[in-house]
Structure formats: C-alpha cells, structure tokens
Amino acid sequence: MKFDVIEGFRRLSAAFGPSGREQDAAQAITALVNDCVPDADRWECTKDAMQNLIYHRAGDGKKVLLAAHMDSIGVVVTHIDDNGFARFAQVGGLMLGDLIDCRVRFQNGTRGIISFEEKTPYKELGFDNLFLDIGAANREDAERLIRVGDFAVYDGEPFAQGGVIGGPYLDNRIGCVTLIAAMAQLEQAECDLYVAFTAQEEVGLRGAQTAAFGVQPDYAIAVDVTDTGDMPERKYPMAVKLGAGPAVKVMDRSVICDGAVRDALYRAAQTCGIPVQREIMEFGGTDTGVIQRTAGGVRVGAVSIPTRYIHSPNELAAVSDIEQAASLIAGVLKEDFFCET
Ligand code: CO
Ligand code: ZN
C-alpha cells in the first residue's frame, strides 16, 4: 500500500480538534485527502451545520456511509482566579489520573500544565481539585492568552517505533487516517459512497446523528478505536489484542451490529487474506450506535483499531492493524452484499 499511515497520522495529529472545535482537524483531513486519494476530484465535499465533513462520490449501487469521528477529548476553561490559575471542565470522558502533571495546548498555541490542590489527600482528588497553570502572573495576564470557554487538548508528539504508533488523539484521528487510506483504494467501488468525518462524538455521538440523517444510507460502517485485553493484569478479559488485525465489532454499549454486515466483513477479510478479531467492548459506545437508529434505521457494522490506553495522553496502536483495516473496508465494498442495486 502506497499510503503512509504514520505520516498521515502525524499530519492529522498536528491539527487542533476537540469536540465542537473541529475546524482545524477538518482542514487537515481535506489536505490529506487531496494529497493521497488519486480520484480526489471525483469526490464532492461538504460540511453540514454540525461541522461534519462529508465526502460523496456518486455511484449506481447501494448508498453506503463510512464514518469516523474527527474530534478528540479535551478540557474547557470554566474560571480564572486572581492569581491566574484556571479551572476547567471535561470535554468528553477523561480519567483523573491521566491529567495530573499533564501538558495541554490551546488553539492559539498556549501551553498549560494541570496540577492539583495538595491539601486534598491524593486518593480523594476529584476533577474539582485540579487546576490549570499557564504560568501567568495574575488574572489579567492569563486573560491575554486564554479566556473562559476556551478549549484545550493534550499536548504531545506522536511517535513510531517497531510497528506501533503512540501519542494522543489516536482516538480517533487514526480512524480518519484509516478511512482516507481506504478512499485511496476505492477507485473500483460501485456503490453510492459517502465518507463522513464526524464532529462531537466524544460528547455523546452528536455529529454522526445529523450526518447519517442527512445521508440516509442503506448501510454504514464506522471506524473507531477499541480497547484491548492484552496488558498485564487487566481487570476484564477481552479477546482483542494489538497487532492481530482489525477488530470487527459485534457489540458495544451503544450498538449490536447488523449480523449480515458483520458477516460481509468476515467474508471480505477471508477474500483479502486479512486476519480479523471479534470485538465486544463492554464499556463505551461509538458513532455506529446512533447511525443505526437514524430515520427508519440503518444496517450497520464497525471496524475497530485495537488501541491501548484509550483517552490517555499516550495511546498505542499497531500500524499493521490500521493498514489492514483500510484494506478490509475497501474490500468489503466489493462484496455482493453492497454491490446489488
Ligand atoms: Co474516545
Ligand atoms: Zn473514538
């Protein structure tokens, strides 16, 4: 495959894009599509009111929607005190332990460090006991850089080593990279194809709901990260591991995938010689859930990238899983299931 997953991820990682503030991420996606998808000029690109970025390439077959959310988790400033320290609220699901001593960045490039009130015993810390330090002398000084209502995301460089990539925002820029890599292999697909990079997934699957309603597809496949069960002493067993191939979702908290779509994915995997894993994620949901329940209902499946430490500043995934996920999605669209008119 010509498409360079690591380079693609680096480019999308550089873009700021917490939920509700996805404009930079959308721009980076458009640039990557233009550079990497050979028939980019055949795709029509629009944005809806929710800021979902939707590509469409007209075809005669079934209407198929591929989706990946482009937003990332983050924090939003709620208050700045007289000494210039900021308080914040979560944008999406954060874990307290991930935030302590963590570095964040704002859209304007301002960096901050999250710390905690030392008078509270460490074990009793809640989000209310955390604060954000941008090194300001006082409130006035702080407000030159950040204001109440400003969003920030984890600050960190991605890295690649020995077949894995790490860094913040794998959830879900890596899903966006997967879809762009799939688009680059889809010249032959005959279905009426939509690819949506959705907004505000991390705050409750919000963008996908309007994107799917706007498209009203016959079928949809969403791409997102999923947990793995392969770390030492994990609390819950899970039959998904890093580097053993993309995971075909059976179920999560938001969805039970359509059996026929899931089977089409299994068949395509066999045809293409791609190993796949079977995913049941007991915690968390995905865009797939709201797409399924759009309008009169949509037949859905999902392909997941096995990822460790999801929602931490340092997520980890295998490059081969991402490449194979892209080939699987390109492959499944050639299945009769999607091709009948
Ligand atoms: Co997430
Ligand atoms: Zn996600």
Side-chain angles (χ1 to χ4, degrees):
M1 192 166 69
K2 275 178 292 169
F3 185 90
D4 185 342
V5 162
I6 296 168
E7 177 57 20
F9 179 60
R10 275 191 210 285
R11 285 177 59 172
L12 297 195
S13 275
F16 182 81
S19 308
R21 297 290 181 272
E22 294 92 355
Q23 288 80 353
D24 291 358
Q27 223 167 54
I29 288 167
T30 303
L32 194 58
V33 168
N34 288 339
D35 289 349
C36 301
V37 177
D39 65 345
D41 55 333
R42 286 178 61 208
W43 292 83
E44 185 197 3
C45 180
T46 55
K47 244 189 201 182
D48 69 10
M50 288 284 297
Q51 300 299 316
N52 296 301
L53 179 70
I54 302 172
Y55 281 86
H56 177 218
R57 197 187 67 193
D60 297 328
K62 286 273 192 299
K63 207 191 262 191
V64 179
L65 170 67
L66 304 176
H69 73 88
M70 60 180 162
D71 60 311
S72 68
I73 53 173
V75 296
V76 58
V77 175
T78 55
H79 181 264
I80 299 172
D81 71 18
D82 291 342
N83 296 320
F85 291 98
R87 301 288 173 153
F88 57 86
Q90 302 178 61
V91 179
L94 300 170
M95 281 161 290
L96 189 128
D98 289 329
L99 293 180
I100 292 169
D101 299 327
C102 177
R103 209 161 84 173
V104 297
R105 71 178 157 113
F106 289 81
Q107 186 157 25
N108 67 4
T110 300
R111 265 36 181 223
I113 295 160
I114 294 173
S115 193
F116 61 98
E117 300 166 348
E118 280 193 347
K119 277 190 177 170
T120 307
Y122 200 82
K123 277 188 174 164
E124 288 166 28
L125 286 177
F127 284 94
D128 291 351
N129 305 112
L130 304 183
F131 57 84
L132 178 59
D133 181 358
I134 60 165
N138 51 46
R139 186 206 306 263
E140 204 193 354
D141 190 29
E143 285 181 346
R144 276 194 273 270
L145 294 172
I146 61 169
R147 300 300 299 265
V148 167
D150 283 355
F151 290 65
V153 297
Y154 291 137
D155 185 34
E157 285 291 307
F159 67 89
Q161 79 190 10
V164 299
I165 49 175
Y169 340 119
L170 261 75
D171 177 12
N172 186 31
R173 299 293 160 74
I174 211 62
C176 299
V177 166
T178 303
L179 283 192
I180 298 168
M183 285 169 84
Q185 304 172 50
L186 278 173
E187 276 173 273
Q188 310 305 329
E190 275 155 25
C191 49
D192 192 27
L193 198 52
Y194 290 81
V195 179
F197 299 93
T198 64
Q200 299 193 35
E201 189 268 357
E202 296 290 359
V203 288
L205 322 178
R206 295 178 190 169
Q209 195 168 352
T210 56
F213 187 84
V215 172
Q216 303 230 349
D218 298 303
Y219 300 107
I221 296 173
V223 184
D224 204 338
V225 298
T226 190
D227 267 329
T228 67
D230 58 353
M231 293 92 89
E233 305 288 335
R234 275 224 73 180
K235 217 167 171 180
Y236 307 96
M238 186 175 177
V240 174
K241 51 187 180 190
L242 224 63
V248 173
K249 190 185 291 291
V250 176
M251 181 177 140
D252 65 26
R253 275 287 178 84
S254 68
V255 70
I256 299 169
C257 289
D258 183 276
V261 177
R262 181 207 53 197
D263 288 346
L265 284 162
Y266 289 156
R267 278 199 306 277
Q270 214 154 36
T271 311
C272 305
I274 296 167
V276 288
Q277 312 187 64
R278 292 162 185 243
E279 174 209 345
I280 295 166
M281 189 167 74
E282 292 187 71
F283 306 95
T286 53
D287 279 347
T288 327
V290 294
I291 296 171
Q292 184 179 45
R293 285 171 281 159
T294 295
V298 178
R299 301 185 69 178
V300 294
V303 172
S304 305
I305 310 299
T307 304
R308 294 181 189 153
Y309 324 120
I310 293 175
H311 284 201
S312 86
N314 294 292
E315 303 169 318
L316 198 70
V319 174
S320 59
D321 291 341
I322 299 155
E323 290 173 345
Q324 288 167 348
S327 302
L328 177 60
I329 288 162
V332 79
L333 295 179
K334 292 174 199 145
E335 284 285 313
D336 290 346
F337 186 73
F338 288 103
C339 295
E340 315 166 335
T341 43

